[in-house]
Amino acid sequence: MKMSFRWYGKKDPVSLADIKAIPGMQGIVTAVYDVPVGQVWPLEKIVELKKMVEDAGLEITVIESIPVHEDIKQGKPNRDELIEHYKTSIKHVGLAGIPVVCYNFMPVFDWTRSDLHHPLPDGSTSLAFLKEDLAGVDPVADDLNLPGWDSSYSKDEMKAIIENYRQHISEEDLWDNLAYFIRAIMPTAEAAGVKMAIHPDDPPYGIFGLPRIITGQRAVERFLDLYDSPTNGITMCVGSYASDPTNDVLAMTEYALKRHRINFMHTRNVTAGDWGFQETAHLSQAGDIDMNGIVKLLVEYDWQGALRPDHGRRIWGDQTKTPGYGLYDRALGATYFNGLYEANMRAAGKVPDFGIQEKTVGQK
């Protein structure tokens, strides 16, 4: 397991030096943020990004993400051209020596929350999805604008896209469009040495009348069968899947591990119910997920991929503007998961490697 941390590039107030100081931190999860969706990522931009990270003593373990254009998701006539652009970007990621790309196939937006600062019993705040806050709300009629929505579209364009999904694209249609995309890109990814890792829908159930398909155990099984190769894998985001209380994330994790198809791990904790869900501290008892059980499975199956602690609470006066991406609680989460990893590794008679080469500065 290689502990990794999301970094939003030069403009991120959390610096690479901050991240490097987290004990056992080895990897960076990042992206090229100044290329419009649907265009090719230039190789030189990826190489420049990689050098910046490596100069800080870290490595890029995952690209998160190369966004999938809405016209691909909707199966529009221009999708083949856009897919060719996507394939070229994958090739460039492979040429740069980066092993994994995380992406999603969610219509319109990457994630949805109704409250970015919902209080927790410990006095901190975190992201929450409260169904009652959105009951009866229509993002088209009510001119709604929520975090996580693709800001590259105007409001009128966004409304048109949402209406097209509602009127013309069912869940089965979206599955067909995903299958078309997967079967087109996977041979390129295999040749490039890049593993693909689809992220679940967040939340993993229908909202606003839009189709949602990567939602639980059956969806994962169906997805992996679309293209039976280790290259076609998942991002096992336990927090996203556990946002639906009917999902057994331990069973889902073991299923995907048995098939060697977890290409990336996200490990935020949540508590969920009929009312919605809220993100919590990473500690098992703070939420609904047995985090020790998750890490134990990773050790049992000798999983070697990148894991990031995903989101965190807002604590200690953290003023980072990106919701869920402050330094402090994510750093606590990383340290917690490294502790679980070491304990489970040693219990299994194994020695963990956190990539620490020097214990002090200079010759002693």
Side-chain angles (χ1 to χ4, degrees):
M1 187 181 88
K2 189 167 286 188
M3 185 56 62
S4 301
F5 212 77
R6 186 76 176 264
W7 182 61
Y8 284 97
K10 293 179 181 179
K11 295 182 180 179
D12 195 329
V14 179
S15 70
L16 289 171
D18 292 334
I19 297 169
K20 176 65 175 174
I22 301 169
M25 188 57 64
Q26 301 181 65
I28 289 294
V29 177
T30 190
V32 174
Y33 294 104
D34 59 353
V35 175
V37 176
Q39 294 189 16
V40 173
W41 282 17
L43 177 58
E44 57 269 22
K45 282 186 174 288
I46 303 170
V47 171
E48 178 185 5
L49 180 65
K50 184 184 180 189
K51 184 178 185 302
M52 191 184 315
V53 170
E54 291 178 348
D55 285 349
L58 297 159
E59 63 177 294
I60 298 180
T61 49
V62 180
I63 290 293
E64 186 179 358
S65 61
I66 304 178
V68 180
H69 198 282
E70 288 294 331
D71 288 357
I72 296 174
K73 298 175 192 175
Q74 296 176 88
K76 291 194 172 182
N78 62 328
R79 66 177 171 180
D80 287 336
E81 179 183 3
L82 291 167
I83 288 173
E84 287 303 313
H85 292 174
Y86 202 97
K87 288 162 64 176
T88 302
S89 295
I90 292 173
K91 289 178 185 177
H92 289 171
V93 169
L95 287 171
I98 300 170
V100 177
V101 169
C102 173
Y103 66 104
N104 71 71
F105 217 73
M106 286 180 262
V108 185
F109 40 77
D110 284 351
W111 53 273
T112 301
R113 302 292 186 271
S114 65
D115 191 343
L116 303 182
H117 307 288
H118 200 67
L120 284 164
D122 60 12
S124 65
T125 64
S126 70
L127 308 180
F129 182 87
L130 308 177
K131 293 181 180 179
E132 66 177 13
D133 288 351
L134 298 176
V137 172
D138 186 331
V140 174
D142 298 331
D143 198 26
L144 186 66
N145 186 18
L146 292 174
W149 288 33
D150 190 337
S151 60
S152 65
Y153 296 101
S154 69
K155 288 187 177 181
D156 288 341
E157 289 171 331
M158 184 72 72
K159 289 178 179 180
I161 291 170
I162 291 173
E163 287 292 3
N164 188 56
Y165 275 111
R166 287 174 170 175
Q167 296 177 20
H168 303 294
I169 302 174
S170 67
E171 288 188 356
E172 282 304 311
D173 293 329
L174 192 59
W175 270 113
D176 289 343
N177 294 340
L178 175 57
Y180 188 95
F181 174 69
I182 290 299
R183 291 165 184 155
I185 68 166
M186 286 304 162
T188 297
E190 287 177 323
V194 175
K195 290 186 174 182
M196 304 299 292
I198 195 168
H199 190 283
D201 296 342
D202 187 7
Y205 41 75
I207 54 173
F208 302 133
L210 296 170
R212 311 281 272 187
I213 58 176
I214 307 300
T215 56
Q217 176 74 35
R218 290 185 179 179
V220 168
E221 293 174 13
R222 180 174 178 177
F223 172 77
L224 296 182
D225 289 341
L226 292 178
Y227 194 92
D228 194 9
S229 165
T231 300
N232 181 39
I234 66 171
T235 296
M236 187 60 209
C237 181
V238 294
S240 288
Y241 282 119
S243 298
D244 180 350
T246 66
N247 282 331
D248 183 341
V249 292
L250 282 172
M252 292 177 66
T253 300
E254 185 160 24
Y255 169 81
L257 285 169
K258 284 180 178 178
R259 291 190 64 170
H260 305 286
R261 304 291 278 279
I262 295 181
N263 291 341
F264 186 27
M265 287 291 303
H266 285 185
T267 52
R268 67 171 177 260
N269 206 348
V270 299
T271 185
D274 292 341
W275 50 271
F277 64 90
Q278 183 171 10
E279 299 178 10
T280 69
H282 297 89
L283 191 72
S284 295
Q285 192 176 18
D288 298 342
I289 303 172
D290 177 2
M291 290 301 190
N292 184 66
I294 294 292
V295 175
K296 185 178 180 182
L297 284 171
L298 299 180
V299 170
E300 287 178 356
Y301 284 88
D302 195 28
W303 186 77
Q304 298 296 317
L307 177 151
R308 74 174 177 90
D310 208 7
H311 302 168
R313 301 163 297 149
R314 187 175 292 276
I315 59 172
W316 303 340
D318 194 327
Q319 297 301 310
T320 304
K321 292 182 179 180
T322 306
Y325 282 96
L327 170 62
Y328 305 138
D329 201 41
R330 288 190 297 150
L332 290 176
T335 304
Y336 170 60
F337 287 114
N338 273 339
L340 291 179
Y341 180 62
E342 178 165 7
N344 279 281
M345 285 286 285
R346 294 193 181 278
K350 304 174 183 179
V351 179
D353 180 7
F354 296 107
I356 298 172
Q357 303 297 323
E358 297 177 319
K359 298 181 181 180
T360 186
V361 175
Q363 293 183 346
K364 296 290 188 292

